Amino acid sequence: MQLPPDNFNPAPSVAEELEPGLRRILAPNPSPMTYRGTNTYLIGTRDIAVIDPGPANSDHLDAILAALGPGERISHIVVTHTHLDHSPLAAPLSDRTGAQVHAFGGPTAGRSAVMEQLAASGLAGGGEGIDTAFAPDVTVSDGTVIDGDGWALEVIHTPGHLGNHIALALDDLCFTADHVMGWATSLVSPPDGDLTDFMDSCHRLRQRTWRTFHPGHGAPVATPADRLDWLVNHRQSRETAILNTLADGPATARSLAERIYTEVPPALLPAAERNVFAHLVDLMGKNLVSPIESLSALATFERRV
Ligand SMILES: [Zn+2]
């Protein structure tokens, strides 16, 4: 679901200072999935951390290197998750700078047990674009502090959009990547996305007081707590709609999506179906629904209460 239009439209490939020691460079990869493109962040004033180098695009690599002023060098590369619009430029940037790549792990790291089971049973991803070649130099986990010259980034493991997704805290700023985006709700598509994990990650972020969220796509979020509440409420209203519709009788994710997402164009119905399936797996975990036969994306589900 998209948020109301904003004025976010920075020039791609230009480093823009958001505050001292924090710059953003928009990658030139706009699309219906990435909005204006991927936001790459540069942290620091001497030794620089690059958060999410972005897609495999040599112009964007040049733009990141060109942003460095006298006395600046890239000392750390940090990847929030292994989608193709975030991680592929990490390796070329590392080759050019010698900086190590820090991330939670490879493409399937952090995957939940139920999603492992679905993947093993043959459920393919929904085409979100996984960077299957990605391998970090340094593996980080929840609570790891990545220390640099004048800055420290704390890793917060925020699975949901992807099992290996991390957010990064810089004092009271949080780089939320695709967990909280500036322009739309996050995609949660099994078997890579897990809605139970996504909601838990929302609640974890909500426990702290943040000044601003800097997302992977779209404008900074100036009211982080309100945005998290909105995200959670949005998901809860979808859940209610699914449970209410299942009260009319057992149904598949496809037929639920057709009845609930009446406003979406037909081209987006497969994405809506994935979203409903993510909810059904979450509701299964809460013992509120169950598949009539074995669990699969095509299964018919019934309410248990
Ligand atoms: Zn993503």
Side-chain angles (χ1 to χ4, degrees):
M1 182 182 166
Q2 256 173 272
L3 293 158
D6 59 28
N7 297 321
F8 185 72
N9 203 5
S13 305
V14 177
E16 185 180 338
E17 186 174 76
L18 303 179
E19 55 185 83
L22 171 58
R23 286 167 284 179
R24 179 187 61 215
I25 310 174
L26 177 68
N29 62 332
S31 79
M33 294 291 288
T34 62
Y35 193 43
R36 306 297 187 200
T38 304
N39 292 327
T40 295
Y41 294 97
L42 271 54
I43 313 296
T45 55
R46 295 176 295 269
D47 285 359
I48 307 290
V50 176
I51 298 177
D52 282 351
N57 179 301
S58 58
D59 289 344
H60 193 53
L61 177 62
D62 291 343
I64 294 169
L65 294 169
L68 299 176
E72 292 183 340
R73 65 160 192 137
I74 293 172
S75 59
H76 297 70
I77 299 165
V78 188
V79 167
T80 61
H81 66 295
T82 57
H83 273 151
L84 286 173
D85 53 330
H86 291 260
S87 55
L89 210 55
L93 185 62
S94 176
D95 289 345
R96 290 286 291 272
T97 60
Q100 289 189 308
V101 178
H102 300 247
F104 187 83
T108 60
R111 200 179 236 179
S112 64
V114 63
M115 292 307 157
E116 279 293 352
Q117 183 196 330
L118 277 167
S121 73
L123 178 67
E128 292 81 53
I130 301 282
D131 182 4
T132 52
F134 181 82
D137 300 312
V138 179
T139 302
V140 299
S141 55
D142 190 59
T144 301
V145 176
I146 304 169
D147 263 321
D149 181 4
W151 50 262
L153 289 168
E154 178 197 340
V155 173
I156 305 173
H157 185 212
T158 45
H161 173 71
L162 197 60
N164 62 30
H165 191 286
I166 58 172
L168 295 152
L170 176 71
D171 301 319
D172 59 355
L173 304 180
C174 191
F175 298 88
T176 52
D178 287 5
H179 186 79
V180 181
M181 301 198 290
W183 69 291
T185 54
S186 304
L187 181 80
V188 178
S189 173
D192 300 312
D194 181 297
L195 189 62
T196 309
D197 285 350
F198 183 84
M199 297 296 269
D200 287 347
S201 294
C202 284
H203 294 307
R204 281 200 65 207
L205 287 180
R206 186 69 173 83
Q207 284 164 7
R208 289 165 65 159
T209 302
W210 303 104
R211 178 159 54 97
T212 306
F213 282 168
H214 289 289
H217 305 275
V221 177
T223 52
D226 291 348
R227 178 61 65 85
L228 284 169
D229 290 345
W230 179 84
L231 270 178
V232 168
N233 288 336
H234 170 68
R235 291 288 178 179
Q236 281 169 345
S237 66
R238 285 290 186 223
E239 175 179 303
T240 302
I242 289 168
L243 287 171
N244 288 343
T245 309
L246 278 177
D248 296 338
T252 61
R254 160 57 65 124
S255 97
L256 290 166
E258 283 168 354
R259 282 181 277 164
I260 293 166
Y261 287 77
T262 49
E263 77 285 11
V264 313
L268 293 180
L269 209 55
E273 185 183 339
R274 286 259 162 190
N275 204 22
V276 170
F277 183 57
H279 274 283
L280 289 167
V281 176
D282 176 52
L283 289 167
M284 238 178 77
K286 295 173 181 166
N287 280 320
L288 292 173
V289 309
S290 56
I292 286 181
E293 289 175 350
S294 59
L295 173 63
S296 82
L298 301 174
T300 299
F301 288 83
E302 61 184 350
R303 265 187 80 153
R304 300 195 55 167
V305 285

